[in-house]
Every structure is written in C-alpha cells, then in structure tokens.
Amino acid sequence: MANSSQARKRARQSENRRQRNAGARSQMRTSIKKAKRAVLAGDKEQATELFKAAEPVIDAAVGKGLLHKNTAARTKSRLNASIRALA
C-alpha cells in the first residue's frame, strides 16, 4: 500500500487512467469486431460503413497511447484488405 501522499495520489491517478483506458480499449475492440463480422457475413456495404466508423476510433486509441501507431496501421490495413477482397 502507498505510504506517502504522493504515492497515494499516483495510485488514484493510475486507477482513473486504467478505467478510462479500459473503456476506450473496449470501444475500439468492439468496433473492429463489428466490421470483421460484416466481412465474414459477406456484406461489403455494411463492412465498409463499419470500417469507416472504426477507423477514427482506432486513430483515437493511438492518440491516447493505447495502441502503437504501427499496430493501428496494420489493423486498419488488414481490415481494409479483407473488405476489398469481397467481390
């Protein structure tokens, strides 16, 4: 347990950030899963719309430090490639 006032404050800050990050991470993962489900269903129009909705959520996660920029780029690229593969 934290002994100093600074350590107690850091523990409070860390917990607040952890909860905020968990919510943002969950929102990001959900948006990606929705787009992947649409791809698996073969619905190109819906998959495209969901990808357009997921893209800014992924970029926001990068801005908040939840994802590395290359990880986000790779995720968006693979998702977009799977959508384009639907003929």
Side-chain angles (χ1 to χ4, degrees):
M1 185 63 200
N3 290 324
S4 65
S5 61
Q6 293 127 329
R8 284 191 290 273
K9 180 178 178 180
R10 292 300 281 169
R12 283 196 310 270
Q13 289 176 330
S14 294
E15 179 60 19
N16 290 335
R17 287 190 183 106
R18 186 190 68 78
Q19 289 178 354
R20 193 176 308 126
N21 289 341
R25 190 178 300 116
S26 175
Q27 181 184 10
M28 178 193 65
R29 288 177 178 165
T30 302
S31 64
I32 293 170
K33 284 179 191 175
K34 285 180 181 177
K36 284 183 180 179
R37 270 194 222 112
V39 169
L40 290 176
D43 190 353
K44 188 170 185 172
E45 295 83 25
Q46 186 182 13
T48 304
E49 292 300 315
L50 290 170
F51 174 71
K52 286 180 183 177
E55 204 169 10
V57 175
I58 295 170
D59 291 334
V62 172
K64 293 173 184 173
L66 296 177
L67 277 184
H68 191 274
K69 63 179 184 174
N70 292 354
T71 305
R74 183 177 65 244
T75 302
K76 291 190 296 186
S77 176
R78 288 179 179 173
L79 191 53
N80 195 26
S82 64
I83 292 170
R84 280 180 295 160
L86 294 174

